[in-house]
Amino acid sequence: MSKYVISFAMMNRLPLYLDYLLNLESKGVQNVSATTIAKDMGLGEVLVRKELSVISGKGKPRVGYKTSSLIKDFDNFLQVDKASKAIIVGAGKLGRALLGYSRFSKFGVDVLAAFDSDIDKIDNKKIFSMNRLKQFIKDNKVKIGIITVPRENAVEVYETLIDAGIKGIWNFAPVILKKKPGVMVKQQNLALSLAHLNIMLRNEI
Amino acid sequence: MSKYVISFAMMNRLPLYLDYLLNLESKGVQNVSATTIAKDMGLGEVLVRKELSVISGKGKPRVGYKTSSLIKDFDNFLQVDKASKAIIVGAGKLGRALLGYSRFSKFGVDVLAAFDSDIDKIDNKKIFSMNRLKQFIKDNKVKIGIITVPRENAVEVYETLIDAGIKGIWNFAPVILKKKPGVMVKQQNLALSLAHLNIMLRNEI
C-alpha cells in the first residue's frame, strides 16, 4: 500500500464504505456506481467519487465498479490481510458474544482469545486463565484489548493490559478510563446508547 | 416532572451525568461539586453548573451536591421509574448478553424478553417464539425493539417490529435500515467500532 495523505474524516468513512460493499456483495450485487453508493450512504456524490478514486481508481462509465474488485481494493487499503490482533478480558456473556463474532476479521482485526479469572469459564481453547494474559499478549504481539469485565475490575484490567503492551482499548465497562500517553481508548457504553434512543423517543427529537 | 425547554445536546448529556454519578455512588463517594463533575467529565464548569441547576437546583457552597440526591433528581428528570419497555429479536449470544444486562434499567429501559425462531433457544421464561412477538408487543406496550438477528433477517424483523407498533429500533445487524416516518433507528455496528479503533491505532491519529 502506498501512503496517501487522507483526512481523518475519510479514514473514518473507509470501514463504512467497506461495510456497505460487503452488504451489496451478500445480496449478489455485482456492479455499483459512485452515484448509487453516494445515495445509499447519504454522502455527496463528488466526495464519494473522489474517495473511491483514491482507493480504487476511476469506475467504468455506465457500469461503475465491480463490487468484488472494490472490496479487494478497500481490503488492501485497510490492510485487512495484515490483521491486528485483539484479546478480550472478561468471558461473561458479552465477552463470549464478541469472541464468537466473525465479522471483526472482515475489517482487519483478529480476536484471538478471551481471558477470565473464573475457572469455570476457562476452556483452554479460546478462553484462558488471567495468569496467561501477559505472556499471550507478548507472544502474539497483541495490540488491542477489549474490556468486558464488571465495572469494579475495569481499571485494574486496563492497567494490566497497558503494562503488557496493549496500545488500543475498547472498553465496555461503564467506567471512564483515564487517558494514558500512547494508548487509545474507545468507550462503548451500551446502556448509554439505549438511554439515548429512549430519550430521543420520549422527546420525539 | 415539569417540562423544561432544554437543548438536544443537554438531553444527550443527561445519561452521561447519570452514568458518572452511578459510578461515584458505587465507589462510595457521598458528595460531589459541580467543579469536580466538570473536570472528571471534561466539560466546561459554567455549563455543568447551569445544567445541574436545571435538574437539581443549586449545590451547597463548599459541599456541592449529595450524590444520592443528585442521582434521584436525574432519575426523576429522566423518568427512570416510568421505564420504557424493550424487547430483543434474536436470542443468539449477543441477544442473550443484552437480555442479561441489568444496567439498562438504571437508565429507564426495561428489556422484558427476547424472541427467536430457533426452538432450541426458547425457554418460555425470557426467550419466546417469534410467533408470540406481535401479541407480546401489544400486550406490554413495548416501544423499543433491539435487533440482534443475522444480517439477512434484519430487514424483515425491522418491518415486523414496526407493524407491531415499535417506535424505536436499536439495530446491531450490519445492515442500514431505511428510515420510516415516526420510527427512530439507532445503528450499532460493533465491527465498525472496532475497525475505527484499529484504523486510529495504525495511523496514530
Side-chain angles (χ1 to χ4, degrees), chain A residues 27-115:
Chain A
K27 287 183 198 154
V29 178
Q30 304 210 331
N31 293 286
V32 64
S33 68
T35 315
T36 304
I37 296 177
K39 206 181 135 212
D40 287 350
M41 291 182 60
L43 297 170
E45 196 175 323
V46 176
L47 178 84
V48 170
R49 277 188 196 287
K50 200 186 104 196
E51 294 187 341
L52 291 182
S53 77
V54 171
I55 305 296
S56 190
K58 286 207 183 304
K60 277 190 194 157
R62 286 167 192 276
V63 183
Y65 295 88
K66 217 177 141 185
T67 313
S68 58
S69 315
L70 204 46
I71 288 173
K72 204 180 286 174
D73 291 337
F74 272 92
D75 282 351
N76 286 336
F77 199 90
L78 289 169
Q79 296 182 281
V80 166
D81 57 327
K82 293 186 206 156
S84 301
K85 284 158 183 170
I87 54 93
I88 295 167
V89 183
K93 283 182 184 173
L94 180 60
R96 292 199 306 272
L98 296 174
L99 185 61
Y101 199 50
S102 60
R103 224 175 133 67
F104 294 136
S105 64
K106 301 227 178 221
F107 294 90
V109 182
D110 278 349
V111 180
L112 300 178
F115 294 83

Side-chain angles (χ1 to χ4, degrees), chain A residues 8 11-12 15-16 19 23 78-79 82 84 103 151 174 184 188-189 192 196 198 201-203 205, chain B residues 8 11-12 15-16 19 23 78-79 82 84 103 108 151 174 184 188-189 192 196 198 202-203 205:
Chain A
F8 177 59
M11 255 313 178
N12 258 322
L16 293 168
D19 185 59
N23 238 306
L78 289 169
Q79 296 182 281
K82 293 186 206 156
S84 301
R103 224 175 133 67
R151 161 213 293 276
M184 237 158 239
Q188 188 88 51
N189 191 324
L192 281 182
H196 281 143
N198 187 34
L201 264 184
R202 286 191 179 175
N203 294 279
I205 291 169
Chain B
F8 177 59
M11 255 312 178
N12 258 322
L16 293 169
D19 186 59
N23 238 305
L78 289 168
Q79 298 182 279
K82 294 185 204 156
S84 301
R103 222 175 134 68
R151 160 212 294 274
M184 239 158 242
Q188 189 88 51
N189 191 324
L192 281 183
H196 281 144
N198 187 34
R202 285 192 180 176
N203 295 277
I205 291 169

Side-chain angles (χ1 to χ4, degrees), chain A residues 158 167-170 179-180 182-186, chain B residues 197 200-201 204-205:
Chain A
Y158 176 52
K167 298 296 175 199
I169 298 279
W170 193 20
K179 211 152 161 35
K180 308 223 172 185
V183 178
M184 237 158 239
V185 177
K186 192 176 175 81
Chain B
L197 176 63
M200 288 200 300
L201 264 185
E204 286 168 48
I205 291 169

Side-chain angles (χ1 to χ4, degrees), chain B residues 11 13 46 51 54 57 86 89-90 102 121 124 127 129 141 145 155 170 179 192:
Chain B
M11 255 312 178
R13 266 191 298 275
V46 176
E51 296 187 340
V54 171
V89 183
S102 60
K121 292 193 179 124
N124 283 317
I127 305 176
S129 158
K141 298 193 177 72
V155 174
W170 192 19
K179 202 134 177 45
L192 281 183

